[in-house]
Amino acid sequence: TRTPVNVTVTGAAGQIGYALLFRIASGQLLGADVPVKLRLLEIPQGLKAAEGTAMELDDCAFPLLRGVDISDDPNVAFDGANVALLVGARPRTKGMERGDLLEANGGIFKPQGKAINDHAADDIKVLVVGNPANTNALIAQAAAPDVPGDRFTAMTRLDHNRALSQLAQKTGVPVGEIKKLTIWGNHSATQYPDVFHAEVAGKNAAEVVNDEQWLADTFIPTVAKRGAAIIEARGASSAASAANAAIDHVHTWVNGTDAGDWTSAGVVSDGSYGVPEGLISSFPVTAKDGQFEIVQGLDVNEFSRTRIDASVKELEEEREAVRGLGLI
Ligand code: NDP
């Protein structure tokens, strides 16, 4: 029998956590033959709700679930972690300045990065979901100097999936036949969903759509502002789709991308496409043998260049801000 994989989830008692844990325990994160142990991290006020969720996990009698531990101490929750999903974060509240938001999240992601550094397993893979995800990932990474930097990633897979779905609806082709879509930059309103290299049923997506105005005025803003549209409609922020994207991200990271396709993930820049080295930015990526690789050599047209640059500029500003705060 296989040794269980330790999966740590922070903010486990939140909305996304609730949509995520059952899918991890059922085998959808790592595979139907991989036993898992869940380690839930919550703040003290969240512990009781996390216990309730753990009771429900017990009641599902998932054959792959080999235990659920709950703690409010990152040193305990990340002990032996092979996969860490950092979901809990300090949301932006009304009137909050970006500096305050980054500082509050520094207080969360810095100690978590240190705990990962000191206690996680050697093969640790970290996905940051909690916003501002790219910069929170940078903070955690900086606090974990002994962990290879490329183990820290940020989630743009939800944006990717949203873009797939919008393009499928526009072109009338099933999502499964759309390939090589890319989200560039920050997981924020400046993100750039790029269809110029995408394929719709084997044809170039930009040519199939053949409507730059639709791209600029409908597609891009619909994808970038989808989170707000869901809050407006549901009265609560997206949770199941965010959890689904987290599952997709880790599943791809561990199990690889299909030949002839790629996905999007926030990964450490190696300077590709003019994105300054070290920033955690979304790129087109393939995955193989448990490692993401940035797809190289794509032509970036003028339409794309402006938009990638704008999002990357925002990431640089966030990095400067957390540097100024001594968080990295
Ligand atoms: P959610 O579970 O709904 O969201 C958690 C985080 O995910 C937020 O930062 C949210 O950012 C982010 N997120 C990223 N992408 C999306 C998306 N597409 N849609 C929605 N959210 C997205 O928040 P809850 O308030 O329900 O739960 C948070 C939990 O985290 C609470 O139980 C709290 O106690 C806990 N927490 C735990 C910490 C810890 O473990 N140390 C630290 C801080 C909080 P945004 O709000 O910008 O959408």
Side-chain angles (χ1 to χ4, degrees):
T1 53
R2 280 185 73 160
T3 331
V5 175
N6 290 320
V7 181
T8 301
V9 178
T10 77
Q15 297 300 316
I16 296 176
Y18 193 72
L20 183 60
L21 294 170
F22 297 86
R23 296 191 57 190
I24 299 172
S26 73
Q28 294 179 53
L29 185 76
L30 298 167
D33 55 349
V34 185
V36 290
K37 268 193 183 173
L38 282 168
R39 325 289 304 268
L40 313 186
L41 180 67
E42 257 299 345
I43 51 179
Q45 307 90 284
L47 285 176
K48 190 146 183 274
E51 279 162 22
T53 305
M55 289 162 70
E56 283 202 76
L57 284 162
D58 281 347
D59 295 350
C60 293
F62 288 117
L64 291 172
L65 184 58
R66 298 300 153 80
V68 184
D69 296 326
I70 304 169
S71 179
D72 61 2
D73 181 351
N75 294 314
V76 174
F78 290 110
D79 190 29
N82 305 104
V83 176
L85 301 170
L86 310 190
V87 179
R90 174 72 165 82
R92 189 191 288 261
T93 39
K94 228 178 160 184
M96 202 177 193
E97 298 291 333
R98 186 168 66 180
D100 300 335
L101 179 74
L102 292 170
E103 187 157 28
N105 279 300
I108 296 168
F109 287 88
K110 199 173 171 177
Q112 290 184 0
K114 173 136 189 13
I116 288 169
N117 188 68
D118 295 348
H119 301 287
D122 287 344
D123 66 348
I124 180 72
K125 289 182 166 62
V126 182
L127 168 63
V128 177
V129 175
N131 282 315
N134 301 56
T135 297
N136 287 341
L138 205 58
I139 294 169
Q141 182 199 53
D146 303 331
V147 177
D150 63 1
R151 306 293 184 77
F152 288 84
T153 63
M155 188 167 92
T156 54
R157 188 63 172 266
L158 180 55
D159 310 304
H160 181 93
N161 287 343
R162 285 168 170 166
L164 279 177
S165 185
Q166 293 301 319
L167 191 57
Q169 285 172 32
K170 171 76 174 172
T171 58
V173 164
V175 278
E177 289 183 44
I178 301 182
K179 304 208 182 315
K180 299 183 179 175
L181 201 76
T182 305
I183 304 292
W184 297 91
N186 200 1
H187 169 68
S188 76
T190 66
Q191 65 174 269
Y192 170 52
D194 175 0
V195 306
F196 287 99
H197 302 97
E199 292 166 8
V200 172
K203 300 195 188 86
N204 179 271
E207 283 165 24
V208 172
V209 169
N210 193 25
D211 186 350
E212 206 161 276
Q213 186 125 31
W214 178 80
L215 288 179
D217 299 344
T218 304
F219 175 72
I220 296 172
T222 300
V223 173
K225 294 182 194 156
R226 187 72 167 175
I230 289 182
I231 292 174
E232 176 67 26
R234 239 187 124 233
S237 64
S238 41
S241 54
N244 178 69
I247 297 271
D248 283 352
H249 176 110
V250 173
H251 192 275
T252 299
W253 194 354
V254 172
N255 295 296
T257 38
D258 292 338
D261 200 3
W262 67 63
T263 187
S264 305
V267 298
V268 185
S269 176
D270 57 358
S272 298
Y273 302 103
V275 181
E277 214 176 318
L279 279 183
I280 296 187
S281 178
S282 190
F283 284 98
V285 294
T286 54
K288 205 182 154 203
D289 302 328
Q291 276 197 298
F292 281 126
E293 253 184 64
I294 297 170
V295 175
Q296 296 296 330
L298 301 177
D299 285 331
V300 174
N301 65 19
E302 206 40 50
F303 184 95
S304 298
R305 190 72 262 169
T306 324
R307 289 168 172 82
I308 295 171
D309 289 350
S311 194
V312 167
K313 182 163 173 278
E314 184 183 51
L315 283 173
E316 286 187 276
E317 288 166 4
E318 288 183 13
R319 179 164 72 175
E320 277 319 300
V322 294
R323 240 187 218 141
L325 292 164
L327 293 170
I328 61 168

